[in-house]
Amino acid sequence: MADETLPILIADDQRDVLEALRLLLKSEGHTCKTYGDPAAALAALKSNAFAAALIDLNYTRDTTSGREGLELLKALKQAEPELPVVAMTAWGSINLAVEAMRLGAGDFIEKPWDNTRLISVLRNQIALGAAARREQKLRAENSLLRGDTDEEFIAQSRAMQPVLALIERVAPTDANILVLGENGTGKGVIARLIHRRSKRAERTLVKVNMGGIAESVFEAEMFGHVRGAFTDAKADRVGRFELADDGTLFLDEIANIPYAQQAKLLRIVEEGEFERVGSSRTLKVDVRLIAATNADIGAEVAAGRFRKDLLFRLNTVEIHLPPLRERREDIAPLAQSFLARSARRYQRAGMQLSADALRALEQYSWPGNVRELSHVMERAVLTANANEVQQLDFSLQPSLATAPAAAAPSMRLDDAEQDMIRGALERCGGNIQKTAEMLGLSRAALYRRLEKFGIRATE
Ligand SMILES: Nc1ncnc2c1ncn2[C@@H]1O[C@H](COP(=O)(O)OP(=O)(O)OP(=O)(O)O)[C@@H](O)[C@H]1O
Ligand SMILES: [Mg+2]
């Protein structure tokens, strides 16, 4: 949406003036849309975007007072405060020009106009308007938390090499990327890395947590709204897609988008087109999408909870992040890096890991993956008595080592049930009778569930 390429709105009741202006501006490479009366100009703004408006202040109804023109100016500025408006006044009516500036005109031109001055005034106004829109965008961007720009990315293990190679290859393209992996495997880190390695690196990376948006505000959040679109809409608001224009939009937890909203997303993903809520003006954006989820998205599609067509738009490239337990060579360098970071943060210089401690970390199953490791290291720095962190300084839960699935929190009833059964079995040392009692089930009911979930019980 480079404002410079948008047309210029011209309003004047004299056809020859409109035509002369149109030809003059055309010779300067601008396209124009011309309107013979204030109402038509105002109506046009409701459904079109303009780089600037050039409006006469006097119209047929009342050819000298400038009232109609000033009303139009006010209405235009109200409808779109960032739109630069240049007023045209009759020669010598300087009071009217002053009044127009007071009402928000960016500049004025006296008729008959001087071509060179008119072009330079318009050019300035268009540039200022574009800057104002960019600033409006920036303000909105700053209110969003943006990720750290040079965070460290550790991936020395063999399992990560194909992942790294794939990122190198696809990051500079505009292909949409879907990042899949368990909780805490670094999907967010990967999204930021891809953005930094892309042609859009100098632009914004906007992140949206799709699990955190209430269904009722989904559209306003994603597409923006205009003032008055609903009771609380006191001002225009830029949506996430517009914020990310020319940059990257990171749709985190993509599997959590309610089904009804997926169709709305599909259109913008396919066409790049959308409307702000309450507006009929179609806007176009150029956005590179990165989506992430820890859900089994294929299963979500099979269960009818996620649109296949949307998935196919998002996963032009899929990146599968292996869980930490499948890339144990990364544990030591990650642990050292987190240790150093926490030691700096808590002013505990000289912290080290004992050999035992490192071994314990390398053997643990890490159901919470890299995030869990970073938390464990932070706690160890805070609680260790000596400079060398010992195994005892970690509170790793050994029981989890045998049941990696049990600790990754899941919101599926089936998973929760399975987790409870595994946990109970473990606590009862595999004794079926005791486990059934603990769970309030009959032995037969417990057996049915063991079979259903494929849990092997060794009594
Ligand atoms: N390869 C890595 N190198 C360095 N730090 C990492 C790496 N992978 C993950 N981290 C760190 O681990 C933490 C978790 O990573 P991140 O938030 O990206 O995971 P995630 O897969 O998005 O998790 P979730 O599914 O919960 O959203 C972050 O603090 C991140 O900086
Ligand atoms: Mg994440």
Side-chain angles (χ1 to χ4, degrees):
M1 285 200 301
D3 300 80
E4 290 79 1
T5 63
L6 294 173
I8 297 170
L9 178 156
I10 308 180
D12 198 302
D13 58 343
Q14 286 177 272
R15 287 187 57 176
D16 50 337
V17 168
L18 289 177
E19 193 52 21
L21 287 170
R22 197 181 63 76
L23 287 174
L24 171 66
L25 293 171
K26 190 176 164 200
S27 71
E28 289 295 309
H30 296 288
T31 53
C32 297
K33 293 201 173 185
T34 57
Y35 304 94
D37 65 276
L42 194 57
L45 186 67
K46 296 241 152 70
S47 49
N48 296 278
F50 293 99
L54 178 60
I55 62 167
D56 189 28
L57 291 184
N58 293 315
Y59 294 83
T60 36
R61 244 192 317 136
D62 161 10
T63 50
T64 50
S65 77
R67 278 300 123 211
E68 273 185 281
L70 293 175
E71 289 304 321
L72 171 60
L73 168 61
K74 254 197 280 187
L76 291 175
K77 290 305 281 187
Q78 197 173 19
E80 197 171 320
E82 318 289 343
L83 177 75
V85 181
V86 175
M88 289 187 286
T89 62
W91 190 259
S93 47
I94 201 72
N95 287 346
L96 205 52
V98 169
E99 177 69 1
M101 301 283 280
R102 201 182 60 78
L103 289 175
D107 209 334
F108 69 94
I109 301 283
E110 282 177 309
K111 277 177 164 178
W113 64 85
D114 170 61
N115 283 352
T116 320
R117 175 166 147 78
L118 187 139
I119 286 163
S120 100
V121 162
L122 266 179
R123 190 178 297 140
N124 276 334
Q125 289 300 314
I126 290 172
L128 284 172
R133 278 176 235 203
R134 268 198 300 276
E135 209 202 316
Q136 185 195 22
K137 243 176 85 167
L138 263 177
R139 266 199 307 275
E141 274 167 22
N142 288 341
S143 68
L144 296 172
L145 281 180
R146 281 204 275 157
D148 191 358
T149 45
D150 328 292
E151 72 195 314
E152 201 179 7
F153 182 66
I154 294 170
Q156 302 178 357
S157 59
R158 274 176 73 109
M160 284 300 281
Q161 298 320 302
V163 174
L164 285 181
L166 184 58
I167 292 172
E168 276 326 314
R169 211 163 53 241
V170 300
T173 72
D174 267 345
N176 288 344
I177 297 183
L178 177 64
V179 188
L180 299 167
E182 291 180 8
N183 287 302
T185 43
K187 297 183 293 297
V189 185
I190 294 282
R192 292 187 288 273
L193 184 68
I194 292 170
H195 176 71
R196 285 207 302 281
R197 302 275 172 94
S198 77
K199 320 193 269 280
R200 297 163 182 258
E202 297 303 312
R203 301 302 190 124
T204 336
L205 169 69
V206 175
K207 177 183 156 169
V208 197
N209 184 342
M210 305 308 285
I213 303 181
E215 193 160 353
S216 58
V217 299
F218 181 89
E219 277 180 275
E221 194 71 31
M222 301 306 288
F223 308 131
H225 61 68
V226 293
R227 179 167 48 190
F230 42 87
T231 327
D232 290 336
K234 301 260 188 283
D236 285 8
R237 171 161 178 207
V238 173
R240 304 296 175 108
F241 273 93
E242 248 179 289
L243 272 182
D245 193 18
D246 290 333
T248 307
L249 182 60
F250 176 32
L251 303 173
D252 204 2
E253 306 201 27
I254 190 85
N256 291 338
I257 308 176
Y259 195 83
Q261 312 294 355
Q262 293 173 19
K264 292 173 188 146
L265 210 55
L266 184 64
R267 172 167 169 237
I268 186 165
V269 172
E270 283 185 334
E271 327 265 351
E273 287 186 351
F274 66 103
E275 287 92 30
R276 286 187 179 179
V277 176
S279 160
S280 56
R281 181 202 288 177
T282 299
L283 301 172
K284 218 169 159 58
V285 285
D286 173 16
V287 166
R288 198 264 184 95
L289 292 172
I290 304 177
T293 180
N294 51 27
D296 179 348
I297 194 83
E300 294 300 297
V301 169
R305 285 188 293 264
F306 200 89
R307 294 180 67 118
K308 196 177 188 172
D309 44 10
L310 181 58
L311 175 63
F312 285 173
R313 288 286 170 175
L314 296 173
N315 74 347
T316 314
V317 176
E318 273 188 15
I319 294 180
H320 295 260
L321 272 184
L324 190 54
R325 63 184 172 278
E326 287 171 19
R327 41 172 159 136
R328 292 189 186 273
E329 305 108 281
D330 285 337
I331 293 174
L334 280 167
Q336 300 290 5
S337 154
F338 294 144
L339 181 75
R341 191 182 65 191
S342 293
R344 265 197 313 278
R345 179 178 301 162
Y346 300 113
Q347 272 126 41
R348 292 204 61 174
M351 289 294 273
Q352 281 184 328
L353 272 175
S354 75
D356 271 5
L358 188 56
R359 204 164 317 121
L361 295 178
E362 283 174 337
Q363 282 166 3
Y364 182 57
S365 65
W366 300 110
N369 294 295
V370 185
R371 178 178 299 109
E372 185 182 8
L373 176 55
S374 90
H375 289 166
V376 163
M377 294 315 296
E378 181 172 5
R379 270 200 304 276
V381 167
L382 285 171
T383 56
N385 290 320
N387 263 352
E388 193 172 62
V389 176
Q390 302 297 324
Q391 185 181 347
L392 284 175
D393 296 321
F394 307 131
S395 44
L396 305 180
Q397 286 140 292
S399 65
L400 295 178
T402 48
S410 161
M411 293 308 289
R412 304 274 301 278
L413 215 51
D414 264 358
D415 293 350
E417 195 181 352
Q418 214 180 123
D419 290 351
M420 277 187 75
I421 293 171
R422 285 187 198 275
L425 260 176
E426 210 167 280
R427 249 168 289 157
C428 301
N431 183 309
I432 293 292
Q433 182 60 43
K434 280 195 200 149
T435 307
E437 277 168 17
M438 182 181 242
L439 293 169
L441 294 173
S442 68
R443 279 173 70 104
L446 177 58
Y447 271 120
R448 269 200 306 279
R449 284 175 172 76
L450 292 179
E451 197 174 47
K452 173 177 163 196
F453 297 125
I455 300 175
R456 264 183 301 148
T458 39
E459 240 178 310

